[in-house]
Amino acid sequence: MSETPIKRPGGRSARVRAAVLDATLAELTGRGYDGLTVEAVAVRSGVHKATLYRRWGGVDGLVADVLSRSAGQPWQVPDTGSLRDDLRAITHEVYAGFTDPGHGVTPRNVILAALRSPQGRQALTAFFEARHGQAAAVVTRSVARGETPDGTDGADVVRTACAPLYYRLFVTGEPLDEPAAHRAAEAALAAARAGVFVPRRPGREDGSGDAR
Amino acid sequence: MSETPIKRPGGRSARVRAAVLDATLAELTGRGYDGLTVEAVAVRSGVHKATLYRRWGGVDGLVADVLSRSAGQPWQVPDTGSLRDDLRAITHEVYAGFTDPGHGVTPRNVILAALRSPQGRQALTAFFEARHGQAAAVVTRSVARGETPDGTDGADVVRTACAPLYYRLFVTGEPLDEPAAHRAAEAALAAARAGVFVPRRPGREDGSGDAR
DNA sequence: ATACTAATGCGATTCGCATCGCGTTAGCGG
DNA sequence: CCGCTAACGCGATGCGAATCGCATTAGTAT
């Protein structure tokens, strides 16, 4: 979609792309998301400026393509045997990915850069759609085990678990720590058990009754 | 903080600020968050370009100050008598604020513009801190009514209710509709009832037990 | 009222990113 | 092995944002 159809994928174009995207990531790591410049990427990658503008259109396209490449690489969905631990593993992974010094500030800067343009946000949408789709499996398995109400929307459970983390990280700017990540997983779990994510079911749709 | 200390608030500076911030909002409404330009704001507001650079430093400062002004204006926290309806009112208000044609795309563009710079995000943090602090009152009242476990962290309940909306709107780019907003409120409610937001309490911290 | 000075108005200049036309290289088909 | 052309390299140019020094206006104090 954001990918220009390459008619000669034979070696060079692929090499150029890899070099450029790696350089983009490196720049994003070093100078941050607002210091990202086409010229800097050109210098670092050894690819000429004009080529970058031709193939990617500008900084936005570079960031979007970085995300596309990330979305392509598959991802290991946790499978611990219980929904609670699966959700905790997911939120912990998100937490670690954005706070561990190992990864550095790179993932954060990639997202921040993507948020700056419609093109980047479109790539973000695709990225999260892929992730949510895969992660929903933890709910599917939980339903199969009888842990969770039938018909629970798996993607929605995952969304609810992850949303507070991204909300803190990218919207409110509040600090994100491990307890907060755990609480988010617990909240999604409690809501899933209560049947909040079962569509159409009148269920506990109403009533001020005690759910505890 | 982002506010240059004005030593002569007597009329003119205030008028200039109002005109500039209004013009910024108008530009944000019209050309969108990435078309926002200091020059355009200068022309529209009738204030000279150099003044804008001097007092606000650039586009980032303008957006930040718009948010500061918004954060200043107080806000009516719902008080329906039940936590469920209060939370629903809050999420519905967020939903409506970003999707109603009445408000237009302005609020969305303000947030998007603020996300683009550290300065803007700092203003966002302050904005949400104020909002969350006020909104936490709905939980305080609910605890007083005995509806919700003692010691529940009100701000965290509100965060959990709002997070999925902002997550969809600004991170994943998924569509936001009324059912989704209601589900977010229900999820936060279920989690609050389950005692997820009570710190320190061992409570239901463990166990695969039934919470329904 | 009248100095005083903070705040703004004004235009020129600088600076850096984006874009263009043309020459060169390298992957592809025969 | 040899043409063919897509893809890239290269430098020049255009364009708009950001910044500067100085002139002018308008609050403020006395």
Side-chain angles (χ1 to χ4, degrees):
Chain A
M1 178 173 291
S2 78
E3 198 121 351
T4 307
I6 307 289
K7 294 184 179 176
R8 279 185 182 179
R12 182 137 111 141
S13 290
R15 276 201 308 273
V16 166
R17 180 165 114 113
V20 166
L21 296 191
D22 288 345
T24 303
L25 269 180
E27 283 293 318
L28 231 30
T29 304
R31 310 212 172 181
Y33 68 97
D34 55 349
L36 186 63
T37 284
V38 175
E39 294 222 12
V41 174
V43 172
R44 188 188 281 264
S45 65
V47 176
H48 194 81
K49 199 176 31 163
T51 299
L52 300 189
Y53 281 111
R54 274 193 285 255
R55 277 188 61 176
W56 285 276
V59 187
D60 305 349
L62 287 173
V63 175
D65 203 19
V66 165
L67 268 175
S68 298
R69 190 173 62 165
S70 299
Q73 309 166 350
W75 167 63
Q76 182 62 15
V77 181
D79 184 7
T80 63
S82 89
L83 180 58
R84 160 175 278 138
D85 291 331
D86 283 348
L87 287 178
R88 284 200 166 192
I90 289 175
T91 58
H92 183 80
E93 191 169 341
V94 173
Y95 159 75
F98 287 112
T99 59
D100 267 11
H103 308 83
V105 291
T106 312
R108 178 157 210 269
N109 282 342
V110 171
I111 306 268
L112 285 174
L115 286 174
R116 303 187 92 204
S117 75
Q119 196 177 349
R121 292 209 310 283
Q122 195 170 340
L124 262 187
T125 302
F127 178 84
F128 281 106
E129 191 180 334
R131 284 287 194 273
H132 287 165
Q134 296 180 336
V138 304
V139 177
T140 307
R141 286 194 295 259
S142 176
V143 171
R145 287 192 297 262
E147 248 183 356
T148 307
D150 237 23
T152 298
D153 183 334
D156 224 15
V157 176
V158 174
R159 256 191 296 266
T160 304
C162 295
L165 310 192
Y166 286 94
Y167 185 58
R168 288 178 113 107
L169 281 170
F170 297 106
V171 181
T172 71
E174 294 165 306
L176 175 62
D177 49 15
E178 255 186 308
H182 283 168
R183 256 176 289 143
E186 292 293 332
L189 177 71
R193 281 176 171 169
V196 172
F197 304 115
V198 179
R200 299 288 155 191
R201 272 280 186 63
R204 316 198 73 85
E205 210 39 279
D206 190 302
S208 49
D210 51 355
R212 46 183 315 197
Chain B
M1 177 173 290
S2 78
E3 198 119 350
T4 306
I6 307 289
K7 294 184 179 175
R8 278 187 184 179
R12 183 139 110 141
S13 290
R15 276 200 310 273
V16 167
R17 181 166 113 114
V20 166
L21 296 192
D22 289 344
T24 303
L25 268 180
E27 283 292 317
L28 232 29
T29 305
R31 309 213 171 179
Y33 68 96
D34 54 349
L36 185 63
T37 283
V38 174
E39 295 222 9
V41 174
V43 172
R44 187 188 283 263
S45 64
V47 176
H48 194 82
K49 199 177 29 161
T51 299
L52 301 189
Y53 280 111
R54 273 193 285 255
R55 277 189 60 177
W56 286 275
V59 188
D60 306 348
L62 288 172
V63 176
D65 204 18
V66 165
L67 268 174
S68 297
R69 190 174 62 166
S70 300
Q73 308 166 349
W75 166 64
Q76 182 62 14
V77 180
D79 185 6
T80 62
S82 89
L83 181 57
R84 157 173 281 136
D85 290 330
D86 283 350
L87 287 177
R88 283 201 167 192
I90 290 175
T91 59
H92 182 81
E93 191 170 338
V94 173
Y95 159 76
F98 287 112
T99 60
D100 267 11
H103 309 81
V105 291
T106 311
R108 179 157 210 272
N109 282 342
V110 171
I111 306 267
L112 285 174
L115 286 174
R116 303 188 89 201
S117 75
Q119 196 175 350
R121 292 210 310 283
Q122 196 169 340
L124 262 188
T125 301
F127 177 84
F128 280 107
E129 191 179 334
R131 284 287 194 274
H132 287 165
Q134 296 182 335
V138 303
V139 176
T140 306
R141 287 194 295 259
S142 177
V143 171
R145 287 192 298 262
E147 243 184 2
T148 306
D150 236 23
T152 297
D153 183 336
D156 224 13
V157 176
V158 175
R159 257 193 294 266
T160 303
C162 296
L165 310 191
Y166 287 94
Y167 185 58
R168 287 178 114 108
L169 280 170
F170 297 106
V171 180
T172 71
E174 295 165 304
L176 175 62
D177 49 14
E178 254 186 310
H182 283 167
R183 256 177 290 142
E186 291 292 332
L189 178 71
R193 282 176 170 168
V196 171
F197 304 114
V198 179
R200 297 288 154 191
R201 272 280 185 64
R204 316 197 73 86
E205 211 38 280
D206 191 302
S208 49
D210 49 356
R212 46 185 312 196

